[in-house]
Amino acid sequence: MSTALVLSGGGARAAYQVGVLKAVSELLPRRTHNPFPIVCGTSAGAINALAIAGRPGSLRLRVRKLESIWSNIQAENVYRTDALGVAKNTCRLLLALLHDGYSKKRPVALLDNAPLRELLEQLVRFRYIDEAIASGELSAVSTTAMDYSTGRSVTFFQGNHDVWQRQRRIGVRTGLSIDHLMASSAIPTIFPATAIDKNYYGDGAVRQLKPLSAALHLGAEKLFIVGVSDNPVHVGADDKIQHPPSVGQMISQLLNSAFIDSIESDLETLQSINKLALETPEQARQHNLRYVDFVCISPSKPIDELTDQYISELPLSMKIFLRAIGANSKGGGSSAASYLLFEPGFCRDLLELGYRDALEQEHQILAFFGLI
C-alpha cells in the first residue's frame, strides 16, 4: 500500500517534525531507505518534505542532516535581521499601503527571506528527486502554495500522476525547484511573494482547505501526518488575556487558522469517512468512499510556553518589533513569535519534544508500518 508523509506548515515550529522523523528512523530497521514513496509538504513542512525526498541514503542519514540544520539554525539563516534591513522593508511596506503602484515594482514584505534561498540550495538536491522518481523509489513529491491572483490553493507535484481540479484547489504537474519552496513558505506580509510562471504565490497554508487531499490525489492509501498544533492543551479561563487583543494576538489567531485549523478539520473529516467506510458494505461503497489508515502526531505540550523562554535569543531588531506588537505572553501573541523563532534553543527543544512524542506512540507507528 502506498504510504504518504504529510508535513504541515508552521515556520520555526516545523523543527518538531524533524524530531518525530528522527524517532521514526530509529524505530524502523536501520537500513530503511525511504518508507514514504509519496511525500507532501506545505510551507516550512515543504522544506522538510523535500529535504527528505531530495537526498540519497537511508532515512536515518537524511533525518540526521535535517536535525543538524534545525539544531543550529538562526534567524539570520532564514531572513535578514539587521536593523537597517528590517527598517527598509517596513518603510517599503508602508509605502505600498499608501501607493498601490509601489508594490507593482517588486513584492513587498516586512522581512527579506533571501538567506533562506541560500540555505535551501545546500539542503535540497532537486536532481535526486528526478532520479528517485525515475527509479521508482519515489512515486510523487508535492508542495502547495497560494496563487495571489486567483486565491486558489495550487499543489505543484512531481511524478507520473494525473492533474486535478476541485473547488479553489488544483494539482499541477511540474519540475519542482527552490522557487516552489520559497513560494510555499512565504507567509503573507511577513515574507515576499514568489513569482512562478508570471504568477505570484504565497504561503500554501493560507487557502489550503483540504491539506490531506494532495496525498490522496497522488495515490496514497496510508497517511503519516505530522502537525504542529498543541491541540491536546486547552487554555483555562484563568489563563486568558483580560484586555483588548494586541496586534500580535490578532496575528497569532490568523496564523493559527492557516497553519493549524485546516489540518485538524480535515482530520475530523477523514475520521468520519473512515467510520462510514467501515459501516458500509464494500460492494455498496461509492468510488471515493474508502478507508484510509493514518497516524497523526502533534505536540503534546503547549508551544507558546517554549516560545516565551526563547524570545530573548532573537536579534535585537526582532525582539523590539515583537514586543511592540504584543507578540509575547503579556500581549497574548506568543504564537506569532513562534513562527519566526528560528533559534537553536527553541528548535532543539521542539526537536526533543517531537522525538519523545513519537516514541510515546511507538506501538502505533510500528503497527502502521506493519512491523508488529
Side-chain angles (χ1 to χ4, degrees):
M1 298 179 72
S2 295
T3 301
L5 174 65
V6 180
L7 301 178
S8 63
R13 291 179 175 221
Y16 175 87
Q17 299 169 348
V18 182
V20 173
L21 292 173
K22 178 183 178 181
V24 171
S25 71
E26 294 180 3
L27 292 173
L28 297 179
R30 177 176 293 274
R31 294 186 178 181
T32 300
H33 196 63
N34 182 14
F36 306 110
I38 300 170
V39 181
C40 304
T42 301
S43 192
I47 295 173
N48 287 336
L50 267 72
I52 291 294
R55 298 191 71 85
S58 68
L59 181 64
R60 290 193 184 190
L61 287 176
R62 302 181 198 209
V63 174
R64 194 173 298 164
K65 177 65 175 179
L66 261 180
E67 182 184 11
S68 175
I69 293 291
W70 279 100
S71 295
N72 298 286
I73 199 167
Q74 293 180 307
E76 63 187 24
N77 302 136
V78 180
Y79 51 85
R80 285 188 63 180
T81 59
D82 59 288
L84 180 60
V86 174
K88 282 184 176 180
N89 281 311
T90 302
C91 290
R92 291 189 183 115
L93 190 59
L94 291 173
L95 285 172
L97 292 173
L98 297 173
H99 192 286
D100 64 348
Y102 188 84
S103 60
K104 294 178 181 178
K105 298 177 182 179
R106 55 175 294 182
V108 293
L110 179 64
L111 299 173
D112 179 0
N113 61 350
L116 176 60
R117 183 177 288 271
E118 298 178 13
L119 179 64
L120 294 177
E121 289 175 349
Q122 304 172 28
L123 185 60
V124 184
R125 301 179 184 178
F126 291 94
R127 180 177 296 180
Y128 183 78
I129 295 177
D130 298 333
E131 296 171 356
I133 289 177
S135 68
E137 175 195 326
L138 284 173
S139 173
V141 181
S142 78
T143 180
T144 300
M146 184 265 293
D147 187 338
Y148 274 108
S149 61
T150 64
R152 291 189 301 189
S153 177
V154 181
T155 296
F156 297 100
F157 70 90
Q158 196 165 332
N160 299 318
H161 297 272
D162 294 332
V163 300
W164 66 87
Q165 182 166 350
R166 298 292 186 271
Q167 187 70 22
R168 293 198 176 278
R169 51 191 172 94
I170 63 173
V172 176
R173 188 190 302 109
T174 186
L176 296 176
S177 68
I178 287 181
D179 284 340
H180 295 98
L181 286 179
M182 295 295 290
S184 183
S185 57
I187 303 173
T189 72
I190 296 179
F191 296 136
T194 300
I196 301 175
D197 296 330
K198 298 182 180 180
N199 286 343
Y200 281 89
Y201 294 85
D203 199 294
V206 175
R207 296 300 294 269
Q208 195 177 30
L209 302 178
K210 298 291 182 180
L212 305 181
S213 67
L216 299 176
H217 280 295
L218 294 172
E221 298 170 288
K222 300 173 65 177
L223 303 178
F224 192 92
I225 307 158
V226 188
V228 295
S229 165
D230 44 5
N231 53 350
V233 179
H234 301 282
V235 179
D238 294 338
D239 299 321
K240 292 181 180 178
I241 306 298
Q242 302 296 332
H243 57 66
S246 65
V247 173
Q249 192 173 7
M250 290 187 283
I251 293 175
S252 292
Q253 295 303 332
L254 289 172
L255 292 177
N256 288 344
S257 69
F259 291 114
I260 294 173
D261 295 351
S262 57
I263 197 164
E264 291 181 350
S265 175
D266 212 13
L267 275 171
E268 288 182 355
T269 301
L270 179 59
Q271 289 171 327
S272 297
I273 292 174
N274 279 349
K275 182 179 180 181
L276 184 59
L278 290 175
E279 295 174 350
T280 304
E282 187 172 350
Q283 62 272 20
R285 295 179 190 173
Q286 299 178 3
H287 176 69
N288 59 350
L289 181 61
R290 59 188 174 93
Y291 182 88
V292 178
D293 188 18
F294 74 91
V295 167
C296 181
I297 300 177
S298 58
S300 59
K301 295 183 178 180
I303 292 179
D304 287 358
E305 291 181 6
L306 288 178
T307 304
D308 292 332
Q309 295 176 33
Y310 292 107
I311 285 182
S312 60
E313 287 191 356
L314 283 167
L316 180 61
S317 60
M318 291 305 300
K319 285 191 288 188
I320 293 173
F321 169 72
L322 292 173
R323 189 182 303 120
I325 66 172
N328 50 34
S329 57
K330 292 182 179 179
S334 295
S335 286
S338 71
Y339 293 103
L340 298 174
L341 224 172
F342 294 93
E343 294 295 338
F346 180 67
C347 292
R348 287 172 188 169
D349 269 11
L350 283 180
L351 270 160
E352 182 61 27
L353 179 60
Y355 182 76
R356 292 198 310 267
D357 285 349
L359 291 182
E360 286 291 324
Q361 296 192 45
E362 176 180 354
H363 186 272
Q364 295 95 314
I365 291 173
L366 293 178
F368 179 83
F369 288 105
L371 297 178
I372 57 173

